[in-house]
Amino acid sequence: MAKKLVIKVTAGADAPERCSQAFTVAAVAAASGVEVSLWLTGESSWFALPGRAAEFELPHAAPLPDLIESIQAAGRITLCTQCAARREITEKDVIGGVRIAGAQVFVSEAMTEGTQALVY
């Protein structure tokens, strides 16, 4: 079993089920003791901003703010550098605990021994 899980979520409100699945898997893994690194890319980038997760709705799904809180309690959330730049999001804009980093860091995390990477 992988000791670390790196999840890249590319979907946001444009594909709510796929988006919710990524956050749910990340939160469940973190709660299970797996080291989790969740990467926000594409349309999911907006969830790095305060209040944006609360606007997300999907019937029968856990609230996104709760999932983010669970992930941050036991893991890390990263916003893609290029995705942030395209949306004019800076480090001062994001919710506490979210870092901004690029592809080199993602590849480094994903290639670490004992790591499983998933993309949603």
Side-chain angles (χ1 to χ4, degrees):
M1 184 166 141
K3 296 181 184 191
K4 182 172 182 180
L5 185 59
V6 177
I7 298 174
K8 179 183 275 195
V9 55
T10 62
D14 59 326
E17 288 183 304
R18 189 162 31 110
C19 176
S20 180
Q21 288 169 359
F23 281 90
T24 300
V25 167
V28 169
S32 299
V34 175
E35 185 181 345
V36 173
S37 178
L38 178 70
W39 283 72
L40 305 176
T41 67
E43 286 303 300
S44 71
S45 299
W46 296 114
F47 298 125
L49 297 175
R52 284 296 185 93
E55 297 172 4
F56 181 85
E57 292 184 17
L58 181 63
H60 310 289
L64 212 53
D66 294 349
L67 295 174
I68 289 171
E69 184 178 322
S70 295
I71 296 162
Q72 285 189 306
R76 174 185 291 269
I77 297 178
T78 304
L79 171 59
C80 163
T81 301
Q82 290 182 14
C83 300
R86 281 191 279 277
R87 291 160 181 81
E88 299 181 356
I89 299 172
T90 67
E91 288 183 358
K92 67 177 175 48
D93 299 320
V94 300
I95 57 177
V98 171
R99 71 174 173 171
I100 298 177
Q104 179 181 2
V105 177
F106 176 81
V107 170
S108 176
E109 286 186 5
M111 296 306 295
T112 302
E113 184 75 28
T115 299
Q116 174 68 50
L118 302 174
V119 178
Y120 285 87

